[in-house]
Amino acid sequence: MPKTNPENLLKRDNNPLSDEVTLLIRIIADVASGNYTNLITHWQYLLCTYGDQHKMPQIAMELVSQTHAMCGFPKVLNSLSAMHNDYISNATNKEEAENYWQKAIVNPECKPVSILQEEVEGDVALKAIYGHTGAKRLVEKMAIIHPMMNSYMIDHAYGTVLQPRKHVFLPLRELAVVMALCYEAPIQKPQLASHLKGFLRMYRVENELMYSIPIVRPNMTEQVEEEASLPGKLVKQVLEFAPEFYNKPELSKHIQSVWGKFQERGQFSL
């Protein structure tokens, strides 16, 4: 059982995010900040609360793994090691637990693909997140700045990492990216703004029934006067959680500046 009960994290007034997503982005905040003590507390809570329901352990592993593209390999490797060690050390049958970890918790779809496939799928993901014009502009800019980094961006970051693999759909990946980028919001505002837009481009309320887990809290759609404003409310909640989850109140002004520019440009209404 977890050392502390994070249930209060989930029971927030006016939080439009589902309990599942709220817990997952809290785990991402632990990874991005390198707070491995909190990470284990929330990881244990996830295992105790959900078990294998909705494939939550697999989804958590996928989202933690993808965070290396935003926060670097060291934090993610340390996080995965801590999660693995905790899972095995608390098991009665360690051999059985290790087998389950390899076959069920670690996503069996995480296998290398061909470079050509990475390039094709990377192009599709870029356009889904940035839009056709934005993706073209980004690729052209990166090709001038650093051609090899441009290839890494297309083939790895978007062709391999930010892909809609089993259980983990792109809007959920984008919410996790937004939370991860908030940790260094003062110096990552362009990327934070881009992935805010990415979530807003891809999320559709009508797709909720097709998602492996709900993004929206039950009955929230009935409380929102205009359905079109719901995506903005969801991603804004992630932004509002960031200073608290990271215990960095100073993030608020930087995050608010990004959000304020969105509102000035009329990107969405609230």
Side-chain angles (χ1 to χ4, degrees), residues 88-121:
I88 301 303
S89 65
N90 286 325
T92 303
N93 186 324
K94 291 179 170 44
E95 182 178 354
E96 185 178 292
E98 190 67 71
N99 288 334
Y100 183 79
W101 177 277
Q102 295 296 330
K103 293 178 181 177
I105 293 184
V106 178
N107 195 325
E109 291 187 0
C110 293
K111 298 177 181 178
V113 296
S114 68
I115 294 176
L116 178 60
Q117 186 179 349
E118 287 179 345
E119 186 175 352
V120 171
E121 293 182 353

Side-chain angles (χ1 to χ4, degrees), residues 39-193:
L39 171 64
I40 293 307
T41 294
H42 296 120
W43 170 238
Q44 289 177 350
Y45 183 78
L46 181 147
L47 294 173
C48 292
T49 303
Y50 295 100
D52 203 40
Q53 184 181 358
H54 302 313
K55 304 295 183 182
M56 281 286 283
Q58 293 91 326
I59 292 172
M61 287 289 290
E62 273 283 312
L63 295 179
V64 169
S65 298
Q66 79 169 32
T67 305
H68 78 269
M70 279 61 69
C71 301
F73 274 100
K75 286 181 180 178
V76 169
L77 294 177
N78 291 341
S79 296
L80 293 173
S81 177
M83 294 164 73
H84 173 264
N85 290 342
D86 177 79
Y87 185 81
I88 301 303
S89 65
N90 286 325
T92 303
N93 186 324
K94 291 179 170 44
E95 182 178 354
E96 185 178 292
E98 190 67 71
N99 288 334
Y100 183 79
W101 177 277
Q102 295 296 330
K103 293 178 181 177
I105 293 184
V106 178
N107 195 325
E109 291 187 0
C110 293
K111 298 177 181 178
V113 296
S114 68
I115 294 176
L116 178 60
Q117 186 179 349
E118 287 179 345
E119 186 175 352
V120 171
E121 293 182 353
D123 181 65
V124 172
L126 271 168
K127 289 174 180 174
I129 293 169
Y130 291 89
H132 284 256
T133 301
K136 183 174 183 291
R137 187 164 53 240
L138 175 62
V139 169
E140 290 175 348
K141 179 180 179 180
M142 286 302 302
I144 293 171
I145 295 173
H146 200 299
M148 185 171 289
M149 283 300 297
N150 186 48
S151 294
Y152 289 161
M153 178 185 71
I154 298 171
D155 301 345
H156 179 66
Y158 292 93
T160 302
V161 179
L162 296 180
Q163 284 293 312
R165 281 184 289 275
K166 188 177 181 182
H167 311 311
V168 189
F169 44 99
L170 277 179
L172 178 58
R173 288 191 184 276
E174 283 294 89
L175 286 182
V177 169
V178 168
M179 176 53 77
L181 290 172
C182 280
Y183 186 63
E184 297 287 356
I187 59 174
Q188 295 182 151
K189 289 181 182 179
Q191 290 76 23
L192 179 55

Side-chain angles (χ1 to χ4, degrees), residues 1-15:
M1 293 295 290
K3 298 179 180 65
T4 59
N5 188 342
E7 191 168 354
N8 289 337
L9 159 76
L10 308 178
K11 307 306 178 186
R12 304 294 183 90
D13 292 339
N14 303 316
N15 175 14

Side-chain angles (χ1 to χ4, degrees), residues 226-239:
E226 294 184 22
E227 192 174 274
S229 72
L230 183 58
K233 290 182 182 295
L234 295 170
V235 75
K236 186 170 186 282
Q237 184 63 65
V238 175
L239 297 178

Side-chain angles (χ1 to χ4, degrees), residues 180-210:
L181 290 172
C182 280
Y183 186 63
E184 297 287 356
I187 59 174
Q188 295 182 151
K189 289 181 182 179
Q191 290 76 23
L192 179 55
S194 294
H195 288 280
L196 284 173
K197 293 178 187 177
F199 173 78
L200 295 167
R201 281 192 180 95
M202 290 182 292
Y203 177 77
R204 297 290 181 272
V205 178
E206 58 269 24
N207 290 342
E208 279 282 336
L209 293 177
M210 295 188 293

